[in-house]
Amino acid sequence: MRIAINTGGGDAPGLNAAIRSATLSALRRGWEVLGIRNGYGSLYSDQPFVPLTAERVRGISMMGGTILGTANRGNPFEMPFKNASGDWELEDRSDETVEIFHRYGVDALVAIGGDGSMHIANRLTEKGIRVVGVPKTIDNDIWGCDISLGFDTAVTTASEAIERLSTTAESHRRIMVVEVMGRYAGWIALHAGLSSSADVILIPEIDFSLQSVVDKINDREYRGDTYSIVVVAEGAVEQGGSRFVKGKVPGQSEQLGGVAEYLEKKLSDKTGKEARSLVLGHLQRGGRPSAYDRLISLRFGAAAIRALAEQDFNRMIVMQQNEIKRIPLANVAGKTKLVHLHSDTVLTAREIGICLGD
Ligand code: F6P
């Protein structure tokens, strides 16, 4: 058996641990393991694969990023290229991708990725490739999985940063607006905001009213709390408004950003208080994975190889109620796991007086 491992889309802490455990579990079964360099886009190059050996994966579990490299423009069904006039176009190179797997004798693929990667993986299964998916994204929005690798570390990083901002906000009696990642779902904002005692948490699942945020800040002021911390997910939307988009590159999702800067100005105008904003951005994706992320990544990687060994193809490995399970890839594709508005985490936030913008 010869397998390939791909890490596609945005990186996340824990990817290397998943690569290590998938590689070692496969090697121990006598299989060969190839890593795909920089995502599917590099398959069409001279050296699409890097052999993964026990030596190559030694000591990598604690490292952030991915030793394989990744790319956000790696969809074989919509591969961007510049035409003769220098404009970007998309082309379907999926048949070529399948042919390359056959040419290199790849029997199965471990696709470690987020919702986009699972969608691609599912489409590859329709072309006869045998795939097992591993859920990765700091956004934690993959359907069917309680937690994806990278989320715990991102929440810890964001929570620590917000906590640091609280002390300077208090000294200066300012409003601090912190933008965290979360395109469609507010998992990072909710968990990091709650665990670092934010006063306002704005998530994409609840369109926010500016007035409600202003009221919360004024109310705190009235009670003698002269500073406020607002945590906002990059995908949060004001009632009647739309998402803050910074730009769009062909073959990639829209680049979001700007909601914190918008709130900084509006909140300062409406409350008369000084406000500052900052975007945590890719800080949340970098660095060493937490012990929990290492552990689930190792479990996911080994579980993927176990599924292949049992010939249980076209599945995604998931964590449900702290147990590893497998679900059909086809069930995951095209869906998003949003924050449940009646979950106890949301209720907790409301019950301790955090404003959710509604
Ligand atoms: O991994 C998902 C994500 O973290 C989103 O929250 C964010 O919008 C996106 O990645 C940013 O990715 P890029 O690396 O393309 O800026």
Side-chain angles (χ1 to χ4, degrees):
M1 182 95 155
R2 176 181 283 176
I3 64 160
I5 300 180
N6 186 56
T7 52
D11 65 351
L15 277 172
N16 285 325
I19 293 170
R20 177 167 180 267
S21 82
T23 300
L24 293 181
S25 313
L27 293 175
R28 286 175 68 87
R29 287 176 164 90
W31 303 356
E32 255 185 276
V33 188
L34 303 176
I36 301 178
R37 292 179 204 270
N38 305 324
Y40 299 120
S42 314
L43 282 177
Y44 323 113
S45 67
D46 291 345
Q47 283 193 315
F49 298 108
V50 48
L52 290 176
T53 59
E55 290 70 38
R56 185 67 195 85
V57 300
R58 180 168 299 135
I60 64 171
S61 294
M62 299 77 138
M63 287 164 46
T66 158
I67 59 161
L68 294 178
T70 181
N72 277 356
R73 299 182 187 197
N75 183 349
F77 296 87
E78 289 181 5
M79 199 56 78
F81 72 102
K82 272 199 177 161
N83 64 20
S85 14
D87 298 322
W88 284 101
E89 277 189 50
L90 301 176
E91 65 180 330
D92 183 350
R93 296 184 78 171
S94 55
D95 287 336
E96 200 182 338
T97 306
V98 171
E99 191 275 315
I100 292 165
F101 282 141
H102 290 325
R103 198 185 328 143
Y104 282 85
V106 173
D107 300 302
L109 169 69
V110 175
I112 312 178
D115 51 349
S117 302
M118 292 310 139
H119 185 57
I120 296 166
N122 186 47
R123 291 187 72 185
L124 288 174
T125 67
E126 288 161 3
K127 291 192 172 262
I129 300 290
R130 300 189 286 195
V131 187
V132 172
V134 169
K136 164 250 43 164
T137 169
I138 66 161
D139 286 5
N140 198 34
D141 58 358
I142 303 178
W143 188 89
C145 190
D146 291 352
I147 191 157
S148 51
L149 72 89
F151 175 64
D152 183 67
T153 310
V155 168
T156 306
T157 304
S159 176
E160 247 174 64
I162 298 163
E163 196 184 313
R164 285 174 190 277
L165 290 167
S166 303
T167 60
T168 166
E170 184 167 13
S171 309
H172 287 264
R173 297 165 304 285
R174 282 173 174 158
I175 302 167
M176 277 289 177
V177 188
V178 190
E179 185 174 311
V180 296
M181 282 189 172
R183 302 181 72 78
Y184 311 110
W187 294 103
I188 297 179
L190 180 65
H191 285 227
L194 192 50
S195 58
S196 60
S197 298
D199 306 297
V200 178
I201 299 173
L202 305 175
I203 58 176
E205 291 84 347
I206 303 175
D207 287 0
F208 66 87
S209 131
L210 194 62
Q211 194 54 49
S212 139
V213 182
V214 170
D215 289 347
K216 172 70 185 176
I217 293 168
N218 286 341
D219 184 53
R220 280 178 55 76
E221 194 77 15
Y222 176 73
R223 291 165 193 272
D225 293 319
T226 55
Y227 74 101
S228 289
I229 303 292
V230 178
V231 176
V232 57
E234 61 184 348
V237 173
E238 187 176 0
Q239 288 172 8
S242 54
R243 287 197 299 169
F244 286 76
V245 177
K246 255 169 67 181
K248 170 92 180 104
V249 177
Q252 288 188 25
S253 314
E254 283 172 334
Q255 207 186 336
L256 300 183
V259 63
E261 205 182 335
Y262 168 80
L263 285 169
E264 174 193 326
K265 291 199 182 70
K266 290 283 177 188
L267 294 176
S268 179
D269 288 351
K270 289 195 179 280
T271 61
K273 287 183 69 65
E274 240 193 313
R276 293 285 188 275
S277 65
L278 90 160
V279 180
L280 290 188
H282 294 82
L283 269 179
Q284 297 158 95
R285 290 227 305 250
R288 295 162 72 89
S290 65
Y292 182 76
D293 263 333
R294 292 177 207 177
L295 186 64
I296 62 165
S297 301
L298 292 166
R299 289 170 72 189
F300 283 158
I305 301 305
R306 217 175 297 134
L308 290 179
E310 291 168 18
Q311 312 229 343
D312 193 11
F313 305 125
N314 308 343
R315 305 268 159 180
M316 184 176 81
I317 305 301
V318 292
M319 181 75 80
Q320 289 177 351
Q321 294 170 339
N322 207 28
E323 270 184 45
I324 296 279
K325 301 209 168 120
R326 301 170 195 161
I327 61 175
L329 256 181
N331 288 5
V332 181
K335 294 186 198 155
T336 307
K337 183 188 70 178
L338 299 178
V339 168
H340 315 299
L341 296 185
H342 301 291
S343 65
D344 88 281
T345 316
V346 171
L347 292 181
T348 303
R350 291 194 190 282
E351 284 164 2
I352 65 175
I354 295 175
C355 164
L356 297 180
D358 51 354

